[in-house]
């Protein structure tokens, strides 16, 4: 374990005990090693190759860090390379930034890497624009890739008097960055970034100081991301997202803006449409399939089965997940009263028909939960998350509903709600009232106005950020291990003296980092002990093929 202890010493932080270092923490250490390979590739490119190649390698390193937690949430080792390129670009600047407002309204440029048809982030941005008639919103998208944009979003921008523009993806990273810079000069008093973790375009675009102030909306608060060097402040969606490890000097708070469903159905009508009997107690959970995958001893599907066993009237409906998407990782067939509805553009009928909302775990779906409270549904919050940032802990929710401390507490809360209709009604109405108060209407608008007042006092100030090293904490370890969810269910070889799950993970990270030599050696090591293991042969073949 000498190498691992050397890595721990390099971080300058107190790590977990020796047993943990030899167990769960080594996944985090392995991720750090893979990331540092990619950092070196980006730094070599910055010295000897062109700017476009350097930016692509910066994006590769950031993508790796977002997919395999490395004990970092920002890092000057790669971000400063993109910042330097952006600052040195000849951008054919038309004129310095001007704060003139020809329309008389505040000009807000909302930048997104892409707009998803299904998911809470696009709806959040849509609601922001809808609730902010005092501002004119320009929405710029860098990498939509031909995917459809929801018609309701397009309508919201149009009704606001704003403009939706897609950057030309065939133009390359530098040209897109220069176009974004130009749009900010011409159409913005404030820029809000909603970008993907590895999108280098905003860092390059806003690397100069003669631009409007820039804020990052921290919608991916559990992931590494680029953009700290050009962010004048962050906008967190909940208090727990505040994190100085991102190296942004100022933080603000804006709760997720919610909107009432435009398709109102009574409980009776919704159940008639969906074929749910009136005497059934309908439990609902809404999330992408990956959020239900078992991890770290938590298995939502198994826990839900134990809840359903306690009362034959109860049925659970999973919106967003298909059975085939999560069945391979479950280890057993789901309970017969769990119904997989699959992804839906509009799940409002299921919310109207439901009696109780169960938050998914180990990964919650915050916007889906908050939107469900508007239907006066009582909520059972996720328990003992591997990371506080993976589940819903918005202030309004915490004031009304406590989080179970363990699986048994989760089951007991759900069972108590199934048994008591009056309790369901009381808790559901209290929660809905609190959420409406904080996430909608005048109270939400006052918090948005605070954001705008902060922006008016802020001058754009891009700056280099410090290089960061691996931090090992209990939460970093748990977050790293949660990200292994896609590998759960792979054969374990620990009984033979060889930890096959760890080696399979190392193969995957080595391939992602372009280190196919290491991936091949790990595959051979597995095959020497388990020559008939199909997973190892597949990994060896992929590593030999260089993909």
């Amino acid at each position: 374990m000498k190498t691992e202890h050397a890595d721990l010493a390099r971080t300058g932080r107190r790590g977990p005990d020796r047993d943990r270092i030899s167990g769960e923490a080594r996944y985090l250490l392995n991720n750090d090693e893979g990331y540092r390979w990619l950092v070196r590739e980006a730094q070599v490119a910055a010295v000897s190759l062109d700017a476009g190649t350097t930016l692509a390698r910066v994006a590769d390193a950031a993508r790796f860090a977002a997919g395999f937690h490395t004990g970092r949430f920002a890092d000057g080792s790669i971000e400063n390379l993109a910042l330097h390129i952006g600052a040195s670009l000849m951008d054919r600047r038309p004129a310095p930034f001007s704060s003139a407002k020809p329309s008389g309204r505040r000009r807000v440029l909302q930048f997104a890497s892409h707009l998803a048809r299904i998911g809470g982030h696009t709806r959040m941005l849509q609601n922001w624009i809808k609730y902010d008639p005092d501002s004119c919103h320009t929405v710029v998208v860098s990498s939509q890739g031909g995917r459809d944009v929801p018609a309701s979003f397009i309508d919201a921008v149009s009704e606001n008097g704003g403009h939706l523009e897609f950057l030309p993806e065939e133009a390359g990273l530098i040209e897109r960055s220069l176009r974004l810079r130009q749009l900010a000069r011409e159409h913005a008093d404030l820029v809000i970034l909603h970008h993907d973790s590895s999108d280098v375009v905003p860092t390059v675009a806003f690397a100069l100081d003669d631009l409007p102030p820039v804020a990052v909306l921290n919608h991916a608060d559990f992931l590494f991301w680029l953009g700290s060097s050009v962010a004048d402040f962050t906008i967190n969606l909940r208090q727990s997202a505040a994190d100085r490890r991102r190296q942004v000097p100022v933080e603000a708070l804006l709760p997720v803006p919610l909107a009432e469903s435009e398709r109102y159905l009574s409980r009776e009508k919704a159940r008639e449409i969906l074929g749910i009997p009136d005497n059934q107690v309908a439990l609902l959970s809404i999330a992408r399939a990956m959020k239900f995958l078992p991890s770290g001893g938590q298995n939502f599907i198994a826990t839900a089965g134990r809840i359903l066993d306690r009362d034959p009237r109860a049925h659970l409906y999973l919106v967003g997940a298909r059975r085939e998407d999560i069945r391979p990782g479950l280890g057993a067939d789901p309970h017969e009263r769990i119904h997989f509805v699959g992804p839906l553009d509009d799940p409002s009928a299921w919310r109207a028909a439901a009696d109780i909302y169960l938050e998914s775990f180990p990964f919650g779906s915050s916007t889906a939960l908050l939107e469900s409270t508007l239907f006066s549904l009582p909520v059972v919050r996720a328990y003992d998350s591997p990371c506080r940032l993976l589940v819903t802990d918005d202030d309004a929710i915490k004031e009304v509903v406590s989080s179970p401390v363990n699986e048994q507490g989760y089951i007991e809360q759900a069972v108590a709600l199934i048994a008591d209709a009056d309790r369901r009604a009381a808790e559901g109405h209290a929660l809905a009232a609190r959420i409406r108060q904080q996430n909608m209407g005048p109270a939400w608008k006052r918090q948005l106005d605070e954001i705008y007042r902060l922006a008016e006092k802020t001058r754009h100030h891009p700056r280099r950020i410090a290089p960061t090293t691996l931090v090992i904490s209990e939460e970093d370890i748990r977050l790293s291990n949660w990200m292994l969810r896609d590998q759960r269910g792979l054969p374990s070889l620990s009984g033979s003296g060889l930890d096959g799950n760890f080696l399979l993970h190392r193969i995957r990270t080595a391939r992602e980092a372009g280190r196919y030599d290491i991936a091949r050696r790990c595959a051979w090591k597995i095959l020497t002990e388990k020559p008939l293991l199909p997973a190892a042969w597949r990994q060896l073949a992929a590593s030999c093929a260089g993909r």
Side-chain angles (χ1 to χ4, degrees):
M1 308 310 299
K2 291 182 179 179
T3 302
E4 294 178 344
H5 283 290
D7 279 339
L8 286 174
R10 181 176 54 79
T11 69
R13 301 294 183 99
R14 181 179 177 86
D17 59 42
R18 291 172 180 267
D19 291 339
R20 297 301 302 278
I21 292 170
S22 62
E24 290 182 332
R26 61 185 174 154
Y27 286 93
L28 180 57
L29 293 163
N30 178 78
N31 294 346
D32 173 63
E33 181 184 34
Y35 173 73
R36 286 187 282 115
W37 291 334
L38 289 167
V39 169
R40 286 194 291 271
E41 291 294 316
Q43 291 170 338
V44 167
V47 173
S48 57
L49 300 174
D50 61 278
T53 301
T54 300
L55 292 176
R57 292 190 178 176
V58 168
D60 286 342
R63 191 176 300 110
F64 182 95
F68 304 94
H69 182 57
T70 67
R72 300 168 178 81
F73 289 93
D75 185 12
S77 300
I78 56 172
E79 183 159 340
N80 292 339
L81 303 177
L83 183 74
H84 176 74
I85 289 171
S88 62
L89 287 177
M90 298 297 293
D91 63 347
R92 303 176 297 280
R93 65 185 66 185
F97 165 67
S98 170
S99 60
K101 303 178 179 64
S103 68
R105 293 196 294 166
R106 179 187 304 106
R107 301 169 301 170
V108 180
L109 189 152
Q110 307 271 11
F111 173 82
S113 298
H114 70 280
L115 298 169
R117 184 174 61 85
I118 297 176
H121 190 196
T122 301
R123 290 197 305 279
M124 178 197 64
L125 179 52
Q126 177 180 314
N127 292 337
W128 182 335
I129 294 170
K130 182 178 178 180
Y131 289 163
D132 188 25
D134 297 336
S135 305
C136 181
H137 291 265
T138 297
V139 180
V140 181
V141 184
S142 67
S143 305
Q144 189 65 14
R147 291 166 287 194
D148 292 336
V149 176
S152 59
F153 184 89
I154 296 172
D155 292 342
V157 175
S158 176
E159 291 166 6
N160 174 265
H163 174 65
L164 176 61
E165 174 156 341
F166 297 93
L167 299 179
E169 296 181 42
E170 68 280 0
L173 293 171
I174 291 176
E175 285 302 318
R176 276 182 277 161
S177 301
L178 291 175
R179 175 59 179 159
L180 175 59
R181 183 181 293 178
Q182 179 185 14
L183 289 169
R185 283 204 176 99
E186 295 175 353
H187 299 288
D189 303 303
L190 170 65
V191 175
I192 310 291
L193 302 180
H194 305 253
H195 61 301
D196 292 344
S197 300
S198 60
D199 194 339
V200 300
V201 167
T203 303
V204 176
F206 299 108
L208 299 180
D209 57 11
D210 61 336
L211 289 160
V214 176
V216 174
L217 188 84
N218 193 9
H219 65 91
D221 52 23
F222 62 97
L223 294 178
F224 177 101
W225 42 253
L226 299 171
S228 294
S229 64
V230 297
D232 299 300
F233 59 96
T234 56
I235 302 173
N236 295 319
L237 298 172
R238 50 187 176 170
Q239 291 282 7
S240 58
D243 191 343
R244 295 299 181 186
R245 290 168 69 180
R246 300 222 184 254
Q247 302 187 54
V248 180
V250 179
E251 295 184 277
L253 178 68
L254 183 69
V256 175
L258 302 175
E260 299 282 5
S261 174
E262 296 179 358
R263 182 188 170 194
Y264 176 78
L265 291 172
S266 67
R267 179 179 184 275
E268 293 73 20
K269 185 63 176 177
R271 288 193 166 216
E272 178 185 339
I273 292 171
L274 300 174
I276 298 175
D278 186 61
N279 63 347
Q280 183 186 114
V281 180
L283 285 65
L284 175 68
S285 193
I286 303 174
R288 287 173 290 156
M290 54 84 70
K291 296 189 175 185
F292 294 110
L293 290 173
S295 177
Q298 291 187 318
N299 186 326
F300 177 87
I301 300 299
T303 300
R306 296 183 188 106
I307 293 170
L308 298 179
D309 281 339
R310 299 278 291 272
D311 196 315
R313 298 174 301 156
H315 288 245
L316 172 61
Y317 298 89
L318 300 186
V319 174
R322 290 180 288 256
R323 182 188 181 98
E324 59 269 23
D325 293 333
I326 62 176
R327 173 62 185 87
L330 296 181
D333 287 330
H335 194 286
E336 61 182 8
R337 281 183 274 125
I338 296 179
H339 310 280
F340 295 86
V341 177
L344 294 176
D345 288 349
D346 180 10
S348 60
W350 293 96
R351 290 183 170 122
D355 296 300
I356 302 166
Y357 188 88
L358 301 183
E359 182 174 14
S360 59
F361 58 78
F363 193 0
S365 187
S366 294
T367 303
L369 184 152
L370 293 170
E371 290 175 336
S372 296
T373 66
L374 300 182
F375 288 76
S376 297
L377 294 180
V379 166
V380 182
R381 294 172 57 194
Y383 76 91
D384 189 31
S385 169
C387 173
R388 61 188 167 84
L389 297 176
L390 293 179
V391 295
T392 306
D393 65 347
D394 300 58
D395 292 343
I397 290 283
K398 291 192 291 187
E399 291 171 8
V400 181
V401 182
S402 61
S403 179
V405 297
N406 53 32
E407 181 192 29
Q408 190 58 35
Y410 187 93
I411 293 171
E412 293 302 330
Q413 281 194 23
V415 170
L417 288 169
I418 293 170
D420 191 338
D422 291 339
R423 177 176 173 177
R424 294 200 298 268
E427 291 190 13
H429 287 301
L431 186 55
R434 184 67 186 91
I435 295 298
R436 284 188 174 92
Q437 183 182 36
Q438 177 166 297
N439 297 72
M440 303 174 70
W444 183 85
K445 186 60 164 61
R446 282 194 295 271
Q447 294 182 85
L448 177 62
D449 290 340
E450 287 292 327
I451 300 289
Y452 289 148
R453 279 191 285 272
L454 173 61
E456 288 169 359
K457 297 185 294 184
T458 301
R459 292 189 61 184
H460 184 50
H461 178 59
R463 71 240 165 253
R464 293 171 62 85
I465 63 172
T468 54
T469 53
L470 168 68
V471 171
I472 295 184
S473 69
E474 184 67 24
E475 191 161 67
D476 285 294
I477 292 171
R478 296 184 75 182
L479 182 58
S480 170
N481 278 265
W482 170 75
M483 288 185 175
L484 297 174
R485 63 195 181 280
D486 292 338
Q487 295 184 190
R488 299 302 184 192
L490 290 176
S492 174
L493 308 183
S494 55
S496 66
L498 184 72
D499 188 341
N501 283 338
F502 175 74
L503 285 173
L504 288 169
H505 171 71
R506 186 162 173 77
I507 292 169
R508 184 182 175 194
T509 56
R511 286 171 52 200
E512 290 285 336
R515 295 299 303 268
Y516 298 104
D517 55 332
I518 292 175
R520 287 191 289 271
R521 285 202 298 270
C522 290
W524 277 118
K525 187 172 182 179
I526 296 175
L527 288 169
T528 58
E529 295 252 354
K530 293 286 184 179
L532 301 181
L533 186 67
W537 284 106
R538 288 194 297 269
Q539 294 290 346
L540 178 62
S543 301
C544 289
R547 65 177 190 275

